[in-house]
Amino acid sequence: MSIVVMGVSHRSAPLDLLERCTVSASDLPKRLDDLAACEHVSEAAIVSTCNRTEAYVVAERFHAAFGELRDFFGTLSFAPPAELFDHLYVHYDDDAARHLFGVASGLESAVLGEGEILGQVRAAWDAARVEGTAGAVLNQLFRHAVVAGKRARTETGIARGTASVSHAAVSMAIEHLGTLEGRQVLVVGAGEMAEGMIVALAAAGPAAVHVANRTSSHAQALAERVGGHHLPLGRLADALSEVDVLLTSTGATSVIVGHASVGDIITRRAGRPLLIVDIAVPRDVDPAVARLRGVTLLDMDDLSRFASSGHAGRVGEVTAVETILDAETERFAQSRSAREMAPLIETLRGRAEAVRALEVERALASNPDLDDAARDALERATKSFVNKLLHHPTVALRAAAGKAKGDRLADSVRDLFDL
């Protein structure tokens, strides 16, 4: 069996393709079931964030599963092969594990070391467990990924400074405008990203913060954290007529701020400029809005460029994080090897013990006059013989687990001992 990850990210694909590959929370159970139903896949998990969509599977046959994963992304994105395949990346076994550990540590994010991704990896794992698509192998993999992500943040300075997508969005708005003091800001959404933006806004000193969301109770709770106001999503157009900045990150699967609606709003604004920062993937705001006079629209592509200029303070920590990832990858490989070989070794020793016990029973039946001391000596001697005989094969099987040699040795043991 192999662990395989295939995906697209902000590094490998343009934003319009990345958003077509996004898996929403409501669609996640179906997509997990689709993956688990593939003929050569036995376990599956999906990590889908604003920076990436990745499918992690346990494959019975690597090449066959590779084709099934590629078909999965084709169905997900509705993209023709010529457009999609050049943007897909794939890793397997130890490389797949190290990739996930890097993702959980924030090394693969647009904002180096960002903290939100660790929670997103944990949520992806939880979803796979709830759907029953994660088994022993992926549970072990994601458990190690969470440990790696925590170690990266506690043992290095990779998360120092502006280390979240949501905080970077607010920082980007401040850089564009010079300050948010005295400005009216509207936040659309009430999830983790919106909450992060609210926290960042608390220190930015805007004149007022408004929060809009489909669930008013969530919007109200966020608004209260900064002494702001919540409003129904139906009043979005009215709010956009008044505010200076729109920050948006919802889980919507289609545009919620269209070109036509903003065009009408611009007329009502009488020439006052509007800054929109859209960090949702798929995007909340129609990209055509950027063509309207007086509107500046910034999205995840802009945030990636902005964040790259702020990496300098944390780039020096990458080597320290990679050392942690190397250690965690090795620890995972050793743990996986022991887990994979354990059932075969147990079966081999169980077969040997059954043969030993039978032969001892026969020997005792043919020598009924043996006293208790002799019987105990026979038990000890035969058990010692079996343990010494199986010691080297056991060590060799464990050492080779997870490698091609391990597969060959395991097959030979099964054939030779009829296991």
Side-chain angles (χ1 to χ4, degrees):
M1 293 189 298
S2 295
I3 298 173
V4 184
V5 55
M6 181 178 287
V8 292
S9 75
H10 67 103
R11 292 180 176 178
S12 73
L15 182 55
D16 61 338
L17 177 58
L18 182 59
E19 62 186 351
R20 279 186 280 163
C21 291
T22 301
V23 178
S24 66
S26 60
D27 197 33
L28 184 55
K30 178 185 182 304
R31 297 302 182 182
L32 285 171
D33 289 343
D34 288 345
L35 273 178
C38 292
E39 181 180 357
H40 300 97
V41 169
S42 58
E43 299 182 34
I46 296 173
V47 177
S48 187
T49 73
C50 59
N51 284 166
R52 69 191 55 78
T53 295
E54 297 177 340
Y56 291 82
V57 303
V58 176
E60 302 297 337
R61 293 174 53 204
F62 171 77
H63 292 291
F66 176 89
E68 291 172 335
L69 283 171
R70 199 167 60 174
D71 291 344
F72 170 80
F73 275 94
T75 302
L76 186 64
S77 65
F78 293 102
E83 178 184 357
L84 174 64
F85 293 165
D86 286 346
H87 300 289
L88 291 172
Y89 51 83
V90 63
H91 306 286
Y92 66 95
D93 290 336
D94 288 353
D95 288 340
R98 199 182 191 286
H99 176 79
L100 178 59
F101 299 169
V103 169
S105 301
L107 292 191
E108 301 295 326
S109 297
V111 179
L112 183 65
E114 58 112 342
E116 289 140 338
I117 183 58
L118 183 56
Q120 292 164 337
V121 167
R122 194 196 307 269
W125 179 24
D126 288 341
R129 285 189 291 181
V130 168
E131 291 303 311
T133 61
V137 177
L138 288 188
N139 283 334
Q140 186 182 23
L141 173 67
F142 276 80
R143 187 177 298 111
H144 278 263
V146 171
V147 170
K150 287 181 177 178
R151 285 191 62 192
R153 287 166 177 81
T154 57
E155 298 177 25
T156 77
I158 195 67
R160 187 184 301 123
T162 303
S164 76
V165 172
S166 50
H167 282 230
V170 174
S171 297
M172 186 165 61
I174 292 172
E175 181 186 72
H176 186 80
L177 295 175
T179 181
L180 290 183
E181 293 182 5
R183 310 278 186 171
Q184 298 267 342
V185 180
L186 171 62
V187 176
V188 178
E192 183 180 5
M193 289 293 185
E195 182 177 4
M197 291 190 288
I198 289 292
V199 171
L201 284 170
V209 176
H210 310 275
V211 182
N213 188 58
R214 285 191 175 87
T215 306
S216 60
S217 60
H218 293 168
Q220 182 176 2
L222 279 185
E224 288 175 350
R225 294 180 62 171
V226 288
H229 311 88
H230 76 281
L231 51 91
L233 202 56
R235 290 187 54 200
L236 185 59
D238 292 336
L240 284 176
S241 300
E242 303 296 331
V243 301
D244 303 295
V245 181
L246 167 63
L247 303 172
T248 180
S249 179
T250 75
T253 56
S254 59
V255 164
I256 63 172
V257 179
H259 177 273
S261 61
V262 176
D264 293 339
I265 291 165
I266 293 303
T267 302
R268 293 158 60 184
R269 293 179 63 86
R272 289 173 48 242
L274 174 64
L275 172 64
I276 301 175
V277 179
D278 179 8
I279 59 171
V281 180
R283 285 171 281 196
D284 286 335
V285 181
D286 183 349
V289 167
R291 297 198 295 267
L292 294 171
R293 185 183 300 275
V295 176
T296 300
L297 174 60
L298 306 176
D299 58 22
M300 281 301 300
D301 282 342
D302 299 292
L303 187 138
S304 294
R305 288 188 287 270
F306 170 79
S308 66
S309 64
H311 281 185
R314 298 189 297 277
V315 164
E317 301 296 323
V318 170
T319 300
V321 174
E322 289 181 338
T323 299
I324 291 173
L325 300 189
D326 288 341
E328 288 298 327
T329 301
E330 177 64 23
R331 197 165 71 89
F332 169 73
Q334 292 174 352
S335 175
R336 183 187 175 203
S337 296
R339 179 184 290 271
E340 287 184 345
M341 281 302 182
L344 176 60
I345 292 170
E346 183 178 352
T347 301
L348 174 62
R349 287 188 168 273
R351 175 64 59 84
E353 171 59 21
V355 172
R356 184 203 68 81
L358 180 60
E359 291 305 313
V360 167
E361 182 181 351
R362 288 175 176 169
L364 293 176
S366 62
N367 296 276
D369 296 332
L370 289 177
D371 59 21
D372 289 343
R375 290 170 179 267
D376 289 342
L378 181 61
E379 280 284 336
R380 288 195 300 271
T382 53
K383 284 184 177 180
S384 177
F385 173 77
V386 168
N387 285 334
K388 289 179 179 179
L389 185 64
L390 294 183
H391 173 72
H392 182 72
T394 298
V395 171
L397 285 169
R398 284 176 176 156
K403 305 171 185 175
K405 180 180 178 181
D407 292 338
R408 292 196 301 271
L409 288 177
D411 289 340
S412 296
V413 167
R414 292 188 185 97
D415 289 340
L416 291 170
F417 291 93
D418 191 27
L419 301 178

